[in-house]
Amino acid sequence: MRTTETSPAPRTTAASPAPRAAVPSPAPRAAVPSPAPRAAVPSPAPRAAGTSRAPGAPATAYVPRAVEPAVLARLRAVDDAGRPCAPYAATGGGEPLRCCLRPAAPGERIALVSYAPLRRWAAQTGAEPGAYDEQGPVFVHAGECGGPAPSGEYPFARPGALRTLRRYDAEGRIAGGRLLELPEDPAEGFDRAFAEAFEDPAVVLVHVRAVEYGCFHFEVRRP
């Protein structure tokens, strides 16, 4: 009697893996707005050679400011370092007078006084320059004078001279600066350097100083 072969049990079908949960795409990053462009200060137009102008009309794009008469009256008594004025006769060295923005003539009565230009400006504006307040020597007439005569030029300017332009904000803090070698046309060089300084909206005041001695020459304020 033959034994009947048992058919093998059917193989269990492996279950298909469950589908993976979809990972959500990251939310798009919020765009960071671009900073607003700084307001551009137009460059001064070049001066035409030989252009006629009315007497007293400025030929420079910015106004060089001398030491003010009320301040001069105090400096001629006691200067910003607390020292009394000591007049003497100019010797012919062309001392740069900050009251008239011109060289002294031989024999003029002048004085070398200590002057704090930023301090004097801050007293008018209410600024607080703090440690940026400084003083230094300047030549002035020893007696009352008429102030700068209209010239249409920047004072104490000659081609090749080196000047430092120091920039200040409304609080009297230094906001930058640059070295300037005056070109063949010093007025054009100054005009462009001042325009560059005032491209920064924070700058309200620029001091011009000599490089060799560091002394103050004049200031220019934002128009």
Side-chain angles (χ1 to χ4, degrees):
M1 178 175 175
R2 297 177 60 185
T3 305
T4 304
E5 293 183 357
T6 304
S7 300
R11 295 175 61 184
T12 304
T13 303
S16 300
R20 295 174 59 185
V23 178
S25 301
R29 295 174 58 184
V32 178
S34 300
R38 294 195 330 198
V41 176
S43 298
R47 299 186 305 155
T51 301
S52 60
R53 53 189 171 85
T60 57
Y62 300 87
V63 179
R65 299 175 66 97
V67 181
E68 296 184 355
V71 174
L72 287 168
R74 291 190 285 271
L75 294 176
R76 288 168 180 146
V78 178
D79 69 13
D80 285 343
R83 287 186 290 266
C85 183
Y88 67 98
T91 61
E95 296 88 343
L97 299 170
R98 279 36 166 243
C99 51
C100 295
L101 299 183
R102 65 167 176 81
E108 284 190 287
R109 296 290 289 173
I110 65 174
L112 184 63
V113 300
S114 186
Y115 175 53
L118 195 61
R119 185 188 313 169
R120 294 294 186 174
W121 168 82
Q124 297 176 352
T125 63
E128 294 288 346
Y132 292 105
D133 177 29
E134 56 185 318
Q135 61 193 34
V138 296
F139 291 100
V140 298
H141 277 120
E144 186 175 346
C145 58
S151 69
E153 300 293 338
Y154 291 107
F156 320 125
R158 56 179 174 77
L162 297 176
R163 298 289 181 261
T164 296
L165 276 65
R166 194 178 296 172
R167 308 167 185 175
Y168 295 90
D169 65 16
E171 290 302 314
R173 312 298 172 87
I174 289 180
R178 63 161 293 182
L179 175 68
L180 173 66
E181 180 176 357
L182 295 180
E184 193 62 32
D185 183 347
E188 183 177 348
F190 270 129
D191 281 348
R192 293 189 181 282
F194 292 136
E196 176 189 284
F198 292 123
E199 283 179 0
D200 182 347
V203 173
V204 300
L205 177 71
V206 178
H207 284 180
V208 176
R209 293 177 175 268
V211 170
E212 297 85 353
Y213 296 100
C215 50
F216 172 84
H217 274 191
F218 63 93
E219 72 178 43
V220 165
R221 300 183 184 182
R222 177 178 287 278

